[in-house]
Amino acid sequence: MKIGDNEIFLTDTGGEKPALLFVHGIMMDHSVWTKQIAAFAETHRVVCVDLRGFGASSTTSPETTFEEHCDDLLAVVAGLSLTDVTFVGWSMGGAIGQIMAAKNGSSFKQFVFVDTTPQLVADDAFTHALPGEAAQQLGGLLMEDFATGCGAFCGMIAPEDGAVVEKLTAIAAATDVGVAMTAFGNSGARNQISELPQITAPTTIICGRNDAICLPAASEFMAKTIPGCDGNVVWIDDAGHAPFLTRADAFNTALSAII
Protein backbone atom coordinates (compact mmCIF):
# COMPACT_ATOMS: atom_id res chain seq x y z
CA MET A 1 0.00 0.00 0.00
CA LYS A 2 1.37 3.40 -1.00
CA ILE A 3 1.24 5.84 1.94
CA GLY A 4 2.87 9.18 1.24
CA ASP A 5 6.32 8.50 -0.18
CA ASN A 6 6.53 5.01 1.32
CA GLU A 7 5.34 1.55 0.39
CA ILE A 8 3.83 -0.13 3.43
CA PHE A 9 3.76 -3.91 3.13
CA LEU A 10 0.93 -5.88 4.70
CA THR A 11 -0.87 -9.18 4.54
CA ASP A 12 -4.67 -9.25 4.51
CA THR A 13 -6.95 -12.28 4.71
CA GLY A 14 -9.80 -10.13 3.35
CA GLY A 15 -13.54 -10.36 3.76
CA GLU A 16 -16.17 -8.31 5.55
CA LYS A 17 -15.43 -9.70 9.01
CA PRO A 18 -14.33 -7.78 12.12
CA ALA A 19 -10.66 -6.88 11.72
CA LEU A 20 -7.60 -7.78 13.72
CA LEU A 21 -4.70 -5.38 13.06
CA PHE A 22 -1.43 -6.91 14.26
CA VAL A 23 1.58 -4.62 14.80
CA HIS A 24 5.03 -6.09 15.41
CA GLY A 25 7.88 -4.99 17.67
CA ILE A 26 11.25 -3.41 17.03
CA MET A 27 13.42 -4.97 14.27
CA MET A 28 10.59 -7.43 13.49
CA ASP A 29 8.01 -7.81 10.72
CA HIS A 30 4.56 -9.19 9.90
CA SER A 31 5.74 -12.80 9.87
CA VAL A 32 5.88 -13.03 13.66
CA TRP A 33 2.06 -13.34 13.59
CA THR A 34 1.87 -16.46 11.39
CA LYS A 35 0.31 -18.58 14.15
CA GLN A 36 -2.36 -15.95 14.75
CA ILE A 37 -3.28 -15.71 11.07
CA ALA A 38 -3.89 -19.45 11.03
CA ALA A 39 -5.95 -19.31 14.22
CA PHE A 40 -8.19 -16.32 13.43
CA ALA A 41 -8.58 -16.06 9.64
CA GLU A 42 -11.89 -17.93 9.63
CA THR A 43 -13.57 -15.56 12.08
CA HIS A 44 -11.74 -12.27 11.46
CA ARG A 45 -10.14 -10.22 8.74
CA VAL A 46 -6.51 -10.50 9.82
CA VAL A 47 -4.17 -7.71 8.73
CA CYS A 48 -0.46 -7.81 9.61
CA VAL A 49 1.59 -4.72 8.81
CA ASP A 50 5.30 -4.10 8.35
CA LEU A 51 5.92 -0.75 10.02
CA ARG A 52 7.65 1.91 7.96
CA GLY A 53 11.31 0.93 7.46
CA PHE A 54 10.87 -2.61 8.80
CA GLY A 55 10.40 -5.87 6.91
CA ALA A 56 9.35 -5.16 3.33
CA SER A 57 8.10 -1.61 4.01
CA SER A 58 10.15 1.27 2.67
CA THR A 59 11.13 4.51 4.33
CA THR A 60 12.57 7.74 3.01
CA SER A 61 14.30 8.34 6.35
CA PRO A 62 15.21 6.26 9.42
CA GLU A 63 13.86 9.10 11.57
CA THR A 64 10.31 7.81 11.95
CA THR A 65 8.39 8.76 15.09
CA PHE A 66 5.76 6.72 16.87
CA GLU A 67 3.24 9.35 15.81
CA GLU A 68 4.16 8.85 12.15
CA HIS A 69 3.70 5.10 12.56
CA CYS A 70 0.25 5.86 13.98
CA ASP A 71 -0.55 7.95 10.90
CA ASP A 72 0.49 5.05 8.65
CA LEU A 73 -1.68 2.60 10.57
CA LEU A 74 -4.68 4.91 10.44
CA ALA A 75 -4.14 5.14 6.68
CA VAL A 76 -4.12 1.34 6.49
CA VAL A 77 -7.41 1.14 8.41
CA ALA A 78 -9.00 3.72 6.13
CA GLY A 79 -7.46 2.41 2.91
CA LEU A 80 -8.66 -1.15 3.53
CA SER A 81 -12.03 0.01 4.93
CA LEU A 82 -11.49 -2.09 8.04
CA THR A 83 -14.39 -2.30 10.49
CA ASP A 84 -14.70 -3.26 14.17
CA VAL A 85 -10.92 -3.15 14.41
CA THR A 86 -9.03 -4.70 17.32
CA PHE A 87 -5.50 -3.29 17.51
CA VAL A 88 -2.99 -5.91 18.71
CA GLY A 89 0.42 -4.36 19.35
CA TRP A 90 3.53 -6.14 20.60
CA SER A 91 6.42 -4.42 22.38
CA MET A 92 7.21 -1.30 20.30
CA GLY A 93 3.97 -1.98 18.43
CA GLY A 94 2.21 -1.80 21.79
CA ALA A 95 3.96 1.47 22.62
CA ILE A 96 2.74 2.85 19.29
CA GLY A 97 -0.68 1.49 20.25
CA GLN A 98 -0.62 3.49 23.48
CA ILE A 99 -0.26 6.68 21.46
CA MET A 100 -2.98 5.52 19.08
CA ALA A 101 -5.35 4.67 21.92
CA ALA A 102 -4.74 7.98 23.67
CA LYS A 103 -5.18 10.11 20.54
CA ASN A 104 -7.39 8.06 18.20
CA GLY A 105 -9.06 5.52 20.45
CA SER A 106 -12.48 6.01 18.88
CA SER A 107 -11.16 4.64 15.57
CA PHE A 108 -10.86 1.15 17.07
CA LYS A 109 -13.13 -1.35 18.76
CA GLN A 110 -10.50 -2.21 21.36
CA PHE A 111 -6.79 -2.44 22.06
CA VAL A 112 -4.67 -5.40 23.09
CA PHE A 113 -1.17 -4.55 24.30
CA VAL A 114 1.20 -7.51 24.30
CA ASP A 115 4.41 -7.47 26.36
CA THR A 116 4.90 -3.73 26.13
CA THR A 117 5.69 -0.81 28.42
CA PRO A 118 5.13 2.94 28.63
CA GLN A 119 8.83 3.43 29.39
CA LEU A 120 11.60 1.11 28.24
CA VAL A 121 14.47 2.38 30.41
CA ALA A 122 14.07 2.76 34.16
CA ASP A 123 14.56 5.95 36.15
CA ASP A 124 13.83 7.01 39.71
CA ALA A 125 10.19 7.77 38.86
CA PHE A 126 9.53 4.51 37.00
CA THR A 127 11.49 1.50 38.17
CA HIS A 128 9.48 -1.16 36.28
CA ALA A 129 11.81 -1.12 33.28
CA LEU A 130 15.26 -2.11 32.06
CA PRO A 131 18.20 -0.61 33.98
CA GLY A 132 19.98 2.05 31.97
CA GLU A 133 23.23 0.07 32.05
CA ALA A 134 21.59 -2.95 30.41
CA ALA A 135 20.05 -0.81 27.67
CA GLN A 136 23.38 0.90 27.02
CA GLN A 137 25.18 -2.45 26.86
CA LEU A 138 22.73 -3.79 24.26
CA GLY A 139 22.93 -0.57 22.25
CA GLY A 140 26.72 -0.69 22.31
CA LEU A 141 26.75 -4.30 21.13
CA LEU A 142 24.38 -3.50 18.26
CA MET A 143 26.60 -0.63 17.13
CA GLU A 144 29.79 -2.66 17.45
CA ASP A 145 28.55 -5.87 15.81
CA PHE A 146 24.96 -5.63 14.60
CA ALA A 147 24.47 -9.35 13.85
CA THR A 148 25.82 -10.40 17.25
CA GLY A 149 23.68 -7.76 18.93
CA CYS A 150 20.59 -9.05 17.14
CA GLY A 151 21.32 -12.54 18.39
CA ALA A 152 21.75 -11.34 21.97
CA PHE A 153 18.56 -9.28 21.82
CA CYS A 154 16.50 -12.13 20.37
CA GLY A 155 17.94 -14.48 22.97
CA MET A 156 16.39 -12.19 25.58
CA ILE A 157 13.07 -12.25 23.74
CA ALA A 158 12.48 -16.02 23.76
CA PRO A 159 14.98 -17.90 25.94
CA GLU A 160 12.43 -20.71 26.30
CA ASP A 161 12.53 -21.63 22.58
CA GLY A 162 15.73 -21.80 20.56
CA ALA A 163 13.92 -22.19 17.24
CA VAL A 164 12.01 -18.96 17.85
CA VAL A 165 15.27 -17.19 18.75
CA GLU A 166 16.76 -18.35 15.45
CA LYS A 167 13.72 -17.15 13.48
CA LEU A 168 13.64 -13.75 15.18
CA THR A 169 17.40 -13.26 14.85
CA ALA A 170 17.15 -13.73 11.09
CA ILE A 171 14.36 -11.14 10.89
CA ALA A 172 16.23 -8.67 13.11
CA ALA A 173 19.54 -9.02 11.27
CA ALA A 174 17.83 -8.11 7.99
CA THR A 175 16.74 -4.74 9.41
CA ASP A 176 18.47 -1.60 8.17
CA VAL A 177 20.97 -0.63 10.87
CA GLY A 178 20.04 3.05 10.75
CA VAL A 179 16.34 2.27 11.12
CA ALA A 180 17.02 -0.13 13.99
CA MET A 181 19.29 2.21 15.95
CA THR A 182 16.95 5.16 15.47
CA ALA A 183 14.03 3.08 16.69
CA PHE A 184 15.98 1.99 19.77
CA GLY A 185 16.91 5.59 20.45
CA ASN A 186 13.31 6.73 20.11
CA SER A 187 12.03 3.90 22.30
CA GLY A 188 14.60 4.41 25.02
CA ALA A 189 14.00 8.14 25.21
CA ARG A 190 10.20 7.99 25.48
CA ASN A 191 8.08 8.22 28.59
CA GLN A 192 4.40 7.65 27.79
CA ILE A 193 3.08 7.34 31.32
CA SER A 194 1.13 10.58 30.96
CA GLU A 195 -0.68 9.08 27.94
CA LEU A 196 -2.09 6.12 29.86
CA PRO A 197 -4.88 8.00 31.73
CA GLN A 198 -6.16 9.20 28.33
CA ILE A 199 -6.85 5.63 27.15
CA THR A 200 -10.55 5.08 27.69
CA ALA A 201 -11.19 2.59 24.87
CA PRO A 202 -11.55 -1.06 26.00
CA THR A 203 -8.00 -2.29 26.59
CA THR A 204 -6.45 -5.62 27.56
CA ILE A 205 -2.87 -6.26 28.65
CA ILE A 206 -1.26 -9.63 27.82
CA CYS A 207 2.19 -10.50 29.14
CA GLY A 208 4.50 -13.48 29.37
CA ARG A 209 5.24 -14.05 33.05
CA ASN A 210 8.98 -14.30 32.37
CA ASP A 211 9.35 -11.27 30.07
CA ALA A 212 12.89 -9.92 30.51
CA ILE A 213 12.51 -6.92 28.15
CA CYS A 214 9.18 -5.25 28.93
CA LEU A 215 8.97 -6.30 32.54
CA PRO A 216 5.80 -7.87 33.97
CA ALA A 217 5.65 -5.09 36.56
CA ALA A 218 5.20 -2.61 33.71
CA SER A 219 2.19 -4.58 32.47
CA GLU A 220 0.71 -4.52 35.97
CA PHE A 221 1.26 -0.77 36.13
CA MET A 222 -0.45 -0.23 32.79
CA ALA A 223 -3.42 -2.40 33.72
CA LYS A 224 -3.98 -0.35 36.87
CA THR A 225 -3.40 3.04 35.20
CA ILE A 226 -5.37 2.75 31.94
CA PRO A 227 -9.05 3.66 32.53
CA GLY A 228 -10.15 1.38 29.69
CA CYS A 229 -8.55 -1.65 31.35
CA ASP A 230 -10.11 -3.63 34.19
CA GLY A 231 -6.90 -3.56 36.23
CA ASN A 232 -5.89 -7.14 35.48
CA VAL A 233 -3.16 -8.60 33.28
CA VAL A 234 -3.76 -11.71 31.18
CA TRP A 235 -0.70 -13.81 31.99
CA ILE A 236 0.87 -16.40 29.69
CA ASP A 237 2.79 -18.88 31.85
CA ASP A 238 6.26 -20.15 30.98
CA ALA A 239 6.63 -17.43 28.35
CA GLY A 240 9.03 -14.58 27.80
CA HIS A 241 8.64 -11.54 25.56
CA ALA A 242 6.95 -13.32 22.62
CA PRO A 243 4.21 -15.59 24.01
CA PHE A 244 2.29 -15.56 20.70
CA LEU A 245 5.22 -17.51 19.22
CA THR A 246 6.53 -19.66 22.06
CA ARG A 247 3.17 -20.40 23.73
CA ALA A 248 0.88 -19.83 20.76
CA ASP A 249 -1.98 -22.05 21.90
CA ALA A 250 -2.27 -20.32 25.27
CA PHE A 251 -1.92 -16.90 23.66
CA ASN A 252 -4.53 -17.61 21.00
CA THR A 253 -6.96 -18.92 23.62
CA ALA A 254 -6.49 -15.71 25.60
CA LEU A 255 -6.91 -13.50 22.55
CA SER A 256 -9.97 -15.42 21.42
CA ALA A 257 -11.63 -14.76 24.79
CA ILE A 258 -10.91 -11.04 24.42
CA ILE A 259 -12.24 -10.58 20.92
Side-chain angles (χ1 to χ4, degrees), residues 80-102:
L80 297 180
S81 300
L82 302 182
T83 58
D84 296 322
V85 186
T86 296
F87 183 110
V88 184
W90 168 47
S91 196
M92 187 181 80
I96 293 166
Q98 294 166 41
I99 300 298
M100 185 77 84

Side-chain angles (χ1 to χ4, degrees), residues 17 34 48-49 62 81 87 120 151-152 157 166 183-185 206 227 256:
K17 295 167 282 192
T34 302
C48 303
V49 178
S81 300
F87 183 110
L120 185 62
I157 291 176
E166 186 175 349
F184 269 111
I206 301 179
S256 181

Side-chain angles (χ1 to χ4, degrees), residues 98 101-102 113 193-205 221-232:
Q98 294 166 41
F113 299 148
I193 294 171
S194 63
E195 310 280 354
L196 301 184
Q198 302 176 46
I199 300 175
T200 57
T203 301
T204 304
I205 311 295
F221 176 85
M222 292 176 65
K224 292 180 173 66
T225 306
I226 292 173
C229 191
D230 66 4
N232 297 308

Side-chain angles (χ1 to χ4, degrees), residues 202-217:
T203 301
T204 304
I205 311 295
I206 301 179
C207 184
R209 284 195 183 272
N210 303 327
D211 193 337
I213 295 177
C214 294
L215 304 186

Side-chain angles (χ1 to χ4, degrees), residues 4 9 34 39 41 67 70 76 84 86-87 99 112 116 129 138 154 168-170 174 200 214 225 235 243 254 257:
F9 179 85
T34 302
E67 288 77 9
C70 284
V76 167
D84 296 322
T86 296
F87 183 110
I99 300 298
V112 181
T116 189
L138 177 60
C154 294
L168 296 182
T169 300
T200 57
C214 294
T225 306
W235 297 107

